[in-house]
mmCIF file of all heavy atoms in Angstrom:
data_model
loop_
_atom_site.group_PDB
_atom_site.id
_atom_site.type_symbol
_atom_site.label_atom_id
_atom_site.label_comp_id
_atom_site.label_asym_id
_atom_site.label_seq_id
_atom_site.Cartn_x
_atom_site.Cartn_y
_atom_site.Cartn_z
ATOM 1 N N LEU A 97 130.466 176.695 61.427
ATOM 2 C CA LEU A 97 129.884 175.698 60.606
ATOM 3 C C LEU A 97 129.183 174.615 61.488
ATOM 4 O O LEU A 97 128.024 174.308 61.283
ATOM 5 C CB LEU A 97 130.731 175.048 59.483
ATOM 6 C CG LEU A 97 130.183 173.991 58.727
ATOM 7 C CD1 LEU A 97 128.975 174.645 57.867
ATOM 8 C CD2 LEU A 97 131.116 173.285 57.827
ATOM 9 N N ILE A 98 129.972 174.164 62.554
ATOM 10 C CA ILE A 98 129.338 173.214 63.387
ATOM 11 C C ILE A 98 128.205 173.867 64.172
ATOM 12 O O ILE A 98 127.071 173.152 64.284
ATOM 13 C CB ILE A 98 130.472 172.743 64.378
ATOM 14 C CG1 ILE A 98 131.542 171.919 63.728
ATOM 15 C CG2 ILE A 98 129.807 171.985 65.574
ATOM 16 C CD1 ILE A 98 132.714 171.609 64.552
ATOM 17 N N ASN A 99 128.249 175.060 64.662
ATOM 18 C CA ASN A 99 127.204 175.738 65.321
ATOM 19 C C ASN A 99 125.958 175.892 64.342
ATOM 20 O O ASN A 99 124.809 175.655 64.751
ATOM 21 C CB ASN A 99 127.559 177.138 65.729
ATOM 22 C CG ASN A 99 128.280 177.084 67.106
ATOM 23 O OD1 ASN A 99 128.432 176.030 67.728
ATOM 24 N ND2 ASN A 99 128.811 178.164 67.561
ATOM 25 N N ALA A 100 126.238 176.243 63.136
ATOM 26 C CA ALA A 100 125.112 176.371 62.082
ATOM 27 C C ALA A 100 124.484 175.120 61.834
ATOM 28 O O ALA A 100 123.185 174.976 61.662
ATOM 29 C CB ALA A 100 125.660 176.948 60.845
ATOM 30 N N ALA A 101 125.165 174.013 61.768
ATOM 31 C CA ALA A 101 124.672 172.628 61.483
ATOM 32 C C ALA A 101 123.757 172.240 62.699
ATOM 33 O O ALA A 101 122.714 171.743 62.477
ATOM 34 C CB ALA A 101 125.808 171.693 61.381
ATOM 35 N N ILE A 102 124.226 172.540 63.889
ATOM 36 C CA ILE A 102 123.376 172.228 65.134
ATOM 37 C C ILE A 102 122.058 172.936 65.039
ATOM 38 O O ILE A 102 121.009 172.490 65.436
ATOM 39 C CB ILE A 102 124.222 172.450 66.430
ATOM 40 C CG1 ILE A 102 125.240 171.289 66.450
ATOM 41 C CG2 ILE A 102 123.324 172.318 67.593
ATOM 42 C CD1 ILE A 102 126.314 171.564 67.674
ATOM 43 N N LYS A 103 122.205 174.295 64.700
ATOM 44 C CA LYS A 103 120.976 175.101 64.661
ATOM 45 C C LYS A 103 119.990 174.603 63.496
ATOM 46 O O LYS A 103 118.833 174.514 63.791
ATOM 47 C CB LYS A 103 121.361 176.594 64.251
ATOM 48 C CG LYS A 103 122.030 177.306 65.356
ATOM 49 C CD LYS A 103 122.496 178.683 64.974
ATOM 50 C CE LYS A 103 123.523 179.317 65.884
ATOM 51 N NZ LYS A 103 123.911 180.550 65.373
ATOM 52 N N PHE A 104 120.586 174.199 62.399
ATOM 53 C CA PHE A 104 119.750 173.538 61.431
ATOM 54 C C PHE A 104 119.100 172.373 61.834
ATOM 55 O O PHE A 104 117.868 172.138 61.615
ATOM 56 C CB PHE A 104 120.606 173.251 60.150
ATOM 57 C CG PHE A 104 119.856 172.470 59.120
ATOM 58 C CD1 PHE A 104 118.921 173.137 58.261
ATOM 59 C CD2 PHE A 104 119.902 171.117 58.953
ATOM 60 C CE1 PHE A 104 118.230 172.452 57.332
ATOM 61 C CE2 PHE A 104 119.245 170.428 57.992
ATOM 62 C CZ PHE A 104 118.364 171.097 57.160
ATOM 63 N N VAL A 105 119.706 171.448 62.559
ATOM 64 C CA VAL A 105 119.180 170.220 63.025
ATOM 65 C C VAL A 105 117.997 170.562 64.021
ATOM 66 O O VAL A 105 116.893 169.914 63.918
ATOM 67 C CB VAL A 105 120.157 169.264 63.655
ATOM 68 C CG1 VAL A 105 119.493 168.118 64.474
ATOM 69 C CG2 VAL A 105 121.070 168.796 62.590
ATOM 70 N N ILE A 106 118.179 171.594 64.803
ATOM 71 C CA ILE A 106 117.116 171.943 65.816
ATOM 72 C C ILE A 106 115.923 172.471 65.040
ATOM 73 O O ILE A 106 114.751 172.077 65.290
ATOM 74 C CB ILE A 106 117.728 172.908 66.874
ATOM 75 C CG1 ILE A 106 118.681 172.321 67.763
ATOM 76 C CG2 ILE A 106 116.530 173.567 67.535
ATOM 77 C CD1 ILE A 106 119.449 173.266 68.652
ATOM 78 N N VAL A 107 116.079 173.365 64.176
ATOM 79 C CA VAL A 107 115.021 173.854 63.322
ATOM 80 C C VAL A 107 114.275 172.891 62.498
ATOM 81 O O VAL A 107 113.084 172.838 62.473
ATOM 82 C CB VAL A 107 115.544 175.061 62.393
ATOM 83 C CG1 VAL A 107 114.424 175.555 61.441
ATOM 84 C CG2 VAL A 107 115.930 176.323 63.304
ATOM 85 N N ALA A 108 115.160 171.984 61.830
ATOM 86 C CA ALA A 108 114.447 170.915 61.090
ATOM 87 C C ALA A 108 113.640 170.049 62.078
ATOM 88 O O ALA A 108 112.571 169.571 61.648
ATOM 89 C CB ALA A 108 115.609 169.998 60.409
ATOM 90 N N TRP A 109 114.136 169.742 63.191
ATOM 91 C CA TRP A 109 113.375 168.816 64.110
ATOM 92 C C TRP A 109 112.116 169.486 64.557
ATOM 93 O O TRP A 109 111.066 168.873 64.588
ATOM 94 C CB TRP A 109 114.305 168.534 65.346
ATOM 95 C CG TRP A 109 113.602 167.563 66.323
ATOM 96 C CD1 TRP A 109 113.156 167.917 67.555
ATOM 97 C CD2 TRP A 109 113.300 166.214 66.065
ATOM 98 N NE1 TRP A 109 112.598 166.900 68.116
ATOM 99 C CE2 TRP A 109 112.596 165.833 67.276
ATOM 100 C CE3 TRP A 109 113.537 165.321 65.141
ATOM 101 C CZ2 TRP A 109 112.187 164.434 67.454
ATOM 102 C CZ3 TRP A 109 113.062 163.951 65.295
ATOM 103 C CH2 TRP A 109 112.507 163.681 66.497
ATOM 104 N N ALA A 110 112.138 170.751 64.887
ATOM 105 C CA ALA A 110 110.968 171.547 65.269
ATOM 106 C C ALA A 110 109.934 171.584 64.180
ATOM 107 O O ALA A 110 108.719 171.333 64.396
ATOM 108 C CB ALA A 110 111.268 172.959 65.656
ATOM 109 N N VAL A 111 110.390 171.742 62.901
ATOM 110 C CA VAL A 111 109.441 171.741 61.835
ATOM 111 C C VAL A 111 108.857 170.404 61.565
ATOM 112 O O VAL A 111 107.703 170.285 61.302
ATOM 113 C CB VAL A 111 110.211 172.318 60.462
ATOM 114 C CG1 VAL A 111 109.286 172.008 59.233
ATOM 115 C CG2 VAL A 111 110.453 173.745 60.666
ATOM 116 N N PHE A 112 109.713 169.314 61.661
ATOM 117 C CA PHE A 112 109.201 167.938 61.552
ATOM 118 C C PHE A 112 108.054 167.667 62.617
ATOM 119 O O PHE A 112 107.102 167.098 62.247
ATOM 120 C CB PHE A 112 110.358 167.026 61.705
ATOM 121 C CG PHE A 112 109.946 165.530 61.893
ATOM 122 C CD1 PHE A 112 109.475 164.808 60.809
ATOM 123 C CD2 PHE A 112 110.035 164.893 63.134
ATOM 124 C CE1 PHE A 112 109.024 163.541 60.957
ATOM 125 C CE2 PHE A 112 109.518 163.732 63.308
ATOM 126 C CZ PHE A 112 109.130 162.962 62.243
ATOM 127 N N LEU A 113 108.376 168.072 63.848
ATOM 128 C CA LEU A 113 107.326 167.834 64.856
ATOM 129 C C LEU A 113 106.036 168.615 64.651
ATOM 130 O O LEU A 113 104.998 168.069 64.858
ATOM 131 C CB LEU A 113 107.945 168.197 66.294
ATOM 132 C CG LEU A 113 108.966 167.243 66.737
ATOM 133 C CD1 LEU A 113 109.488 167.843 68.185
ATOM 134 C CD2 LEU A 113 108.536 165.831 66.921
ATOM 135 N N LEU A 114 106.249 169.852 64.097
ATOM 136 C CA LEU A 114 104.949 170.619 63.746
ATOM 137 C C LEU A 114 104.220 169.910 62.672
ATOM 138 O O LEU A 114 103.016 169.765 62.809
ATOM 139 C CB LEU A 114 105.450 172.007 63.337
ATOM 140 C CG LEU A 114 104.327 172.965 62.918
ATOM 141 C CD1 LEU A 114 103.487 173.266 64.137
ATOM 142 C CD2 LEU A 114 104.856 174.190 62.371
ATOM 143 N N VAL A 115 104.864 169.550 61.589
ATOM 144 C CA VAL A 115 104.140 168.819 60.514
ATOM 145 C C VAL A 115 103.612 167.500 60.981
ATOM 146 O O VAL A 115 102.489 167.158 60.592
ATOM 147 C CB VAL A 115 105.225 168.654 59.345
ATOM 148 C CG1 VAL A 115 104.531 167.671 58.295
ATOM 149 C CG2 VAL A 115 105.599 169.906 58.658
ATOM 150 N N LYS A 116 104.251 166.808 61.899
ATOM 151 C CA LYS A 116 103.721 165.504 62.421
ATOM 152 C C LYS A 116 102.416 165.761 63.222
ATOM 153 O O LYS A 116 101.517 165.033 63.040
ATOM 154 C CB LYS A 116 104.842 164.863 63.331
ATOM 155 C CG LYS A 116 104.469 163.518 63.756
ATOM 156 C CD LYS A 116 105.657 162.842 64.430
ATOM 157 C CE LYS A 116 105.328 161.469 65.022
ATOM 158 N NZ LYS A 116 104.743 160.578 63.991
ATOM 159 N N VAL A 117 102.398 166.860 64.061
ATOM 160 C CA VAL A 117 101.230 167.158 64.782
ATOM 161 C C VAL A 117 100.009 167.555 63.824
ATOM 162 O O VAL A 117 98.932 167.045 64.051
ATOM 163 C CB VAL A 117 101.413 168.327 65.774
ATOM 164 C CG1 VAL A 117 100.222 168.888 66.363
ATOM 165 C CG2 VAL A 117 102.457 167.849 66.798
ATOM 166 N N VAL A 118 100.377 168.373 62.791
ATOM 167 C CA VAL A 118 99.343 168.662 61.814
ATOM 168 C C VAL A 118 98.834 167.424 61.092
ATOM 169 O O VAL A 118 97.555 167.339 60.937
ATOM 170 C CB VAL A 118 99.845 169.733 60.835
ATOM 171 C CG1 VAL A 118 98.882 169.958 59.698
ATOM 172 C CG2 VAL A 118 100.112 171.076 61.551
ATOM 173 N N ASN A 119 99.633 166.521 60.730
ATOM 174 C CA ASN A 119 99.208 165.243 60.073
ATOM 175 C C ASN A 119 98.352 164.469 60.918
ATOM 176 O O ASN A 119 97.327 163.796 60.469
ATOM 177 C CB ASN A 119 100.465 164.545 59.514
ATOM 178 C CG ASN A 119 101.005 165.206 58.346
ATOM 179 O OD1 ASN A 119 100.440 166.017 57.638
ATOM 180 N ND2 ASN A 119 102.319 164.817 58.068
ATOM 181 N N VAL A 120 98.686 164.321 62.222
ATOM 182 C CA VAL A 120 98.019 163.589 63.240
ATOM 183 C C VAL A 120 96.573 164.062 63.313
ATOM 184 O O VAL A 120 95.575 163.381 63.319
ATOM 185 C CB VAL A 120 98.693 163.387 64.544
ATOM 186 C CG1 VAL A 120 97.755 163.004 65.607
ATOM 187 C CG2 VAL A 120 99.901 162.606 64.445
ATOM 188 N N ILE A 121 96.491 165.466 63.493
ATOM 189 C CA ILE A 121 95.097 166.053 63.570
ATOM 190 C C ILE A 121 94.320 165.860 62.255
ATOM 191 O O ILE A 121 93.155 165.622 62.425
ATOM 192 C CB ILE A 121 95.326 167.600 63.772
ATOM 193 C CG1 ILE A 121 95.864 167.739 65.254
ATOM 194 C CG2 ILE A 121 94.120 168.389 63.705
ATOM 195 C CD1 ILE A 121 96.369 169.233 65.576
ATOM 196 N N ARG A 122 94.980 165.973 61.149
ATOM 197 C CA ARG A 122 94.258 165.757 59.907
ATOM 198 C C ARG A 122 93.735 164.341 59.815
ATOM 199 O O ARG A 122 92.620 164.164 59.328
ATOM 200 C CB ARG A 122 95.136 166.059 58.604
ATOM 201 C CG ARG A 122 95.277 167.540 58.413
ATOM 202 C CD ARG A 122 96.048 167.668 57.120
ATOM 203 N NE ARG A 122 96.316 169.090 56.842
ATOM 204 C CZ ARG A 122 97.288 169.536 56.006
ATOM 205 N NH1 ARG A 122 98.104 168.696 55.387
ATOM 206 N NH2 ARG A 122 97.333 170.901 55.889
ATOM 207 N N ARG A 123 94.603 163.317 60.087
ATOM 208 C CA ARG A 123 94.104 161.960 60.077
ATOM 209 C C ARG A 123 92.979 161.728 60.997
ATOM 210 O O ARG A 123 92.062 161.001 60.730
ATOM 211 C CB ARG A 123 95.256 161.008 60.339
ATOM 212 C CG ARG A 123 96.284 160.860 59.286
ATOM 213 C CD ARG A 123 97.342 159.805 59.600
ATOM 214 N NE ARG A 123 98.516 160.156 58.793
ATOM 215 C CZ ARG A 123 99.709 160.414 59.315
ATOM 216 N NH1 ARG A 123 99.732 160.473 60.558
ATOM 217 N NH2 ARG A 123 100.714 160.727 58.623
ATOM 218 N N ARG A 124 93.040 162.276 62.175
ATOM 219 C CA ARG A 124 92.059 162.025 63.171
ATOM 220 C C ARG A 124 90.727 162.726 62.723
ATOM 221 O O ARG A 124 89.636 162.068 62.919
ATOM 222 C CB ARG A 124 92.451 162.709 64.466
ATOM 223 C CG ARG A 124 91.468 162.329 65.670
ATOM 224 C CD ARG A 124 91.820 163.006 67.051
ATOM 225 N NE ARG A 124 93.218 163.319 67.097
ATOM 226 C CZ ARG A 124 93.640 164.383 67.804
ATOM 227 N NH1 ARG A 124 92.808 165.168 68.401
ATOM 228 N NH2 ARG A 124 94.939 164.641 67.898
#
Side-chain angles (χ1 to χ4, degrees):
L97 177 64
I98 293 170
N99 278 353
I102 292 171
K103 289 175 193 175
F104 172 77
V105 168
I106 291 171
V107 170
W109 181 254
V111 169
F112 168 75
L113 291 177
L114 178 67
V115 169
K116 186 168 180 57
V117 167
V118 169
N119 286 340
V120 166
I121 292 170
R122 282 186 183 161
R123 285 188 207 115
R124 188 177 340 144

